[in-house]
Amino acid sequence: MRDYETDASASRDRFNVSANQSIDAKKTGTGGRQGTDPPKDKYFRADAKICALSDLDMLVEIVNQAGACAEGYTENVVPAPCEEGTYQLDALWVQRVQDDGSYGQAEQLGDDQCVTPADLRAEAERAFRSMRVDAPPVTLQGGEPLLVNVRYPAYTTAAVQEQDVTLLGVPVTIRAEPVEFAWDFDDPHSPGGGTLVTSDPGRPWQAGDPAPDESWVGHTYTRLGEPGSDAGSAVDDDGNTYRSGVTVSLATTWEGSFRVAGSTDWTAIAGTITTTSEAAPATVTEARTRLVCDDLTGAATC
């Protein structure tokens, strides 16, 4: 049984009520009331039970209700004659608020219905658009400070995310799959503008791998901007130019699909959603060379 609440004057259109949507946008998570709002009629979907009471060979009473029949009544459920490939949607009921604030007996507003895949697809699209998808982390691999003219690999750990919902009374799994990655390396000074769009989530460099090249998802900073005129660019006490606060960001595009419980077939959902994420700010600086009198072991050479 699934509950809904709405103002008594709200529409009774039973065909537009999704089993995972509250008609009242202010419904609390515990079913309570917010502030001093008046009680609201409760809407829910449930099988329509036909409860029959017989006395010897005579039929005494027939009651149409939601939920179990009372003791002594014979219970019958009359399902909708749904064709293969459709799904049954339970009848819509309402409990109206009485003058004393209590709820009256449940009234049936409509019979069971048959839901087509097209009906489910429309609901799945709405569920996908409102699905909470965690933004994947973005990493630009390399110890700080980063150096100009070095290609640094970039990568994310984006993975398929799924959510189980009930749409029109049918258990459904909604899936979001990452399909495109738009990288912004926050580099307005180097040629190319520091942006890159890929279908590849990238990968980190590991010992034994070749040096990252243009085939890797990544970026090479070649210019730092003009100290004093370009934001973030400055010169340190040793005369080295650097740029601080460089923040790599990633916009991930997700495509959706849904699958009815018990099925192995996924159905595509129209449209996409996008998440954004950022790496921790970094500093990029020059690698300057100079002559010294000590070798790598500390021995004097001059």
Side-chain angles (χ1 to χ4, degrees):
M1 186 178 295
R2 304 170 184 86
D3 289 339
Y4 302 83
E5 296 183 1
T6 187
D7 294 325
S9 60
S11 168
R12 307 297 191 236
D13 184 2
R14 65 182 179 273
F15 299 102
N16 293 327
V17 181
S18 168
N20 75 323
Q21 293 176 311
S22 170
I23 297 176
D24 173 28
K26 295 183 179 179
K27 181 179 177 184
T28 65
T30 58
R33 286 178 281 161
Q34 291 186 338
T36 58
D37 289 345
K40 304 180 188 303
D41 293 348
K42 291 183 178 180
Y43 288 77
F44 61 91
R45 290 195 180 274
D47 284 328
K49 303 285 183 17
I50 299 176
C51 303
L53 179 64
S54 299
D55 183 6
L56 297 178
D57 295 329
M58 182 168 51
L59 185 63
V60 176
E61 182 182 23
I62 296 179
V63 179
N64 207 35
Q65 68 181 53
C69 295
E71 184 177 355
Y73 283 76
T74 302
E75 179 179 299
N76 294 283
V77 178
V78 180
C82 296
E83 299 177 357
E84 185 177 354
T86 63
Y87 311 96
Q88 181 175 318
L89 177 62
D90 293 340
L92 180 64
W93 301 75
V94 62
Q95 283 184 281
R96 304 191 188 282
V97 178
Q98 307 300 297
D99 292 340
D100 61 359
S102 64
Y103 289 101
Q105 293 293 321
E107 304 172 30
Q108 186 176 355
L109 298 181
D111 297 327
D112 291 355
Q113 297 172 258
C114 297
V115 180
T116 68
D119 298 326
L120 275 182
R121 185 179 294 108
E123 290 296 315
E125 289 176 5
R126 282 189 279 271
F128 176 61
R129 288 195 297 270
S130 62
M131 179 179 177
R132 179 174 179 175
V133 177
D134 295 328
V138 53
T139 302
L140 186 67
Q141 187 180 21
E144 282 205 63
L146 304 176
L147 301 177
V148 295
N149 298 320
V150 175
R151 186 168 183 83
Y152 291 99
Y155 63 94
T156 183
T157 54
V160 170
Q161 299 183 40
E162 295 181 354
Q163 180 179 353
D164 293 328
V165 296
T166 300
L167 304 179
L168 299 179
V170 179
V172 171
T173 299
I174 304 293
R175 180 172 67 177
E177 181 178 1
V179 294
E180 184 178 272
F181 307 95
W183 312 81
D184 186 338
F185 294 99
D186 189 13
D187 186 9
H189 308 299
S190 300
T195 59
L196 179 66
V197 178
T198 71
S199 59
D200 183 352
R203 65 186 189 279
W205 180 89
Q206 297 178 344
D209 288 342
D213 54 35
E214 293 299 323
S215 68
W216 290 64
V217 175
H219 184 65
T220 303
Y221 295 89
T222 59
R223 297 180 58 192
L224 300 176
E226 294 297 328
S229 59
D230 292 322
S233 297
V235 179
D236 64 18
D237 294 339
D238 295 325
N240 300 309
T241 301
Y242 67 93
R243 181 167 170 248
S244 60
V246 177
T247 304
V248 179
S249 61
L250 174 66
T252 305
T253 299
W254 306 76
E255 290 184 347
S257 56
F258 72 95
R259 180 180 65 185
V260 175
S263 172
T264 58
D265 297 328
W266 290 93
T267 301
I269 295 175
T272 60
I273 57 179
T274 302
T275 58
T276 57
S277 45
E278 292 183 346
T283 297
V284 183
T285 188
E286 299 173 326
R288 302 182 66 185
T289 59
R290 60 177 179 174
L291 295 174
V292 297
C293 290
D294 296 333
D295 61 18
L296 296 177
T297 62
T301 59
C302 56

